[in-house]
Each structure stands twice: as structure tokens, then as C-alpha cells.
Amino acid sequence: MAHDTRREHWEGVYGSKLPNSVSWFQEKPRTSLDMIFATGIPKNSWVVDVGGGTSTLADHLWGQGYRNLTVLDLSSHALDHAKARLGHQAQEVEWVAGDVTLWEPPRTYTLWHDRAVFHFLTEETARRAYMEVLRRTLEPEGHVILATFALDGPEICSGLPVRRYDAEGLAAELGADFVLQDTTPESHVTPVGKTQKFVYCRFRRQ
Ligand SMILES: C[S@@+](CC[C@H](N)C(=O)[O-])C[C@H]1O[C@@H](n2cnc3c(N)ncnc32)[C@H](O)[C@@H]1O
């Protein structure tokens, strides 16, 4: 899908729906937080939430004392919602409106988090571009947390087709220099009560 079409899609979603009514809404992203805490990274480490949208992950990380946070998303509507919710703390978070596959980060990061973004990259060229950005962005012994729909999860998210994964599939996408540290399934319940199967994986770069 072309970059502009992708952006228009997501701007349309966040321009027409409340943050707590989108199917991926989580009051508290517990599995992500548990995996981030399990890395043991210092709280002044740089952390990026790729495709963070209106997720409350940044709010919770801020509340836990993490102070170098970046939220990147294609949709500036989504980032505006998230900033408004965070209030004055939003000034301390770095917000980047852009496409992860084209991102040129100004620094390296200790932790890369992505929930429900990589799975939209159905074209191999887009996945390759994503992985190139990730490799340029992540510190040598950095951590990657990827959450996608599981093999028995939905085939469509927000009206778009997705690729579904298990831990082996995500490990293959990342390559041999990323070692799987932990994986856990999650049954996410959407605001309308549907269950969606996710897989979460935590990797460390060697
Ligand atoms: C299903 S939502 C998940 C949002 C968030 N990670 C969460 O768990 O609540 C997918 C998000 O990825 C963003 N997105 C999709 N493709 C993207 C891309 N190529 N670069 C950056 N963000 C993207 C969308 O705008 C949307 O906010």
C-alpha cells in the first residue's frame, strides 16, 4: 500500500473514532509493560513505541519513571489525542508523525516496542524497509518487543489485511542476531467484546 494511502487510512480512523472505541484499545497495556520491565533497562534509556497511536503505554511508562520516550505514528490525529490525554507531561515525550519504514531517527534506542503495527506490512519490501530502520535504530544489545496477531488471530485489522505470526515467524523476520528471550500469547478483548489472539515476543540483539 502506498505511503499516502496508508496515512489517509489511519488519519481517517483516528479522525472519526474515539480512542477508547478502536478495536485495539487497552486501558492498560499489561503484557507490553511486563515485557518492558523484564528487560531491566535503566529508566533513562531511550524507548520508542512504534505505531503507538493513542496507546496509553507512554502514560504508564512515564508513571513508572521512564523519561526518554518517543512515540511515532503515521497519524498526527492519534498523536494529538495522546498528547492531550498526557497533559503537561506530553511536553517531555517526543512525538514523531511519520512512517516507520521511512524513519530517520536522530539517535539510537535501547528498546523498540511495536504492538499491532508490523503485522500490517504485507509486502516484503515494506517489511525489509522496517527491519532496516529497526537495525539502524537499535543499540547493539538493545531489546525488541513485537506483538502481532497470532496464527489463529484475525486476518483483518481496521479493515486492512494483516500477516499473522508465531514466535518462530517473528524470529525469522528479525534474523539470527536477535535472540528470543520470551514469548507469550494474549487474548485481547475488544471494546465490543470480541476476542483477538495476539502473540508477544521479546528479543535481544546480540
Ligand atoms: C492497530 S493500531 C495499534 C496502535 C498501538 N500500537 C496500540 O497498541 O494501541 C496500529 C497503529 O499503527 C499506526 N501505523 C500503521 N502503519 C504505520 C507505519 N507504517 N508507520 C507508523 N505507524 C503506522 C497506525 O496509525 C495505528 O496507530
Side-chain angles (χ1 to χ4, degrees):
M1 188 191 278
H3 165 76
D4 285 346
T5 319
R6 219 185 281 169
R7 188 165 44 77
E8 279 162 23
H9 171 84
W10 289 105
E11 287 290 32
V13 169
Y14 288 112
S16 60
K17 289 189 174 187
L18 289 171
N20 62 1
S21 69
V22 293
S23 59
W24 51 93
F25 172 73
Q26 293 175 296
E27 189 99 40
K28 184 171 183 182
R30 287 175 207 285
T31 310
S32 295
L33 288 165
D34 287 347
M35 282 201 163
I36 292 170
F37 301 154
T39 64
I41 59 169
K43 298 211 167 153
N44 61 357
S45 307
W46 276 97
V47 173
V48 58
D49 189 17
V50 168
T54 53
S55 166
T56 58
L57 184 68
D59 315 37
H60 288 284
L61 288 176
W62 181 272
Q64 291 292 324
Y66 293 83
R67 287 294 177 265
N68 290 315
L69 305 173
T70 299
V71 181
L72 171 135
D73 201 277
L74 258 185
S75 165
S76 41
H77 272 318
L79 298 180
D80 289 345
H81 275 302
K83 280 183 214 174
R85 190 187 59 226
L86 259 158
H88 71 276
Q89 288 155 359
Q91 292 162 21
E92 311 288 335
V93 174
E94 188 179 66
W95 306 91
V96 182
D99 187 324
V100 59
T101 64
L102 305 172
W103 190 32
E104 294 185 7
R107 69 179 70 77
T108 55
Y109 284 79
T110 307
L111 193 147
W112 173 288
H113 174 270
D114 166 342
R115 173 176 178 265
V117 187
F118 182 69
H119 68 192
F120 289 108
L121 303 181
T122 54
E123 291 157 25
E124 199 190 332
T125 48
R127 289 197 297 283
R128 208 174 309 132
Y130 178 105
M131 288 301 170
E132 276 167 21
V133 174
L134 186 156
R135 283 171 176 278
R136 277 204 306 274
T137 304
L138 199 72
E139 288 170 3
E141 292 188 23
H143 304 266
V144 178
I145 295 167
L146 288 180
T148 67
F149 280 166
L151 294 179
D152 55 352
E155 292 176 12
I156 285 181
C157 180
S158 184
L160 298 176
V162 300
R163 260 172 85 91
R164 297 173 295 173
Y165 294 92
D166 56 11
E168 288 72 26
L170 286 172
E173 294 287 337
L174 278 164
D177 49 335
F178 287 85
V179 179
L180 183 66
Q181 310 286 305
D182 187 18
T183 180
T184 181
E186 185 181 75
S187 291
H188 167 66
V189 181
T190 71
V192 295
K194 284 194 183 150
T195 298
Q196 299 180 330
K197 303 277 185 69
F198 274 78
V199 61
Y200 283 69
C201 293
R202 176 165 66 86
F203 295 90
R204 181 140 202 207
R205 190 178 203 173
Q206 300 291 297

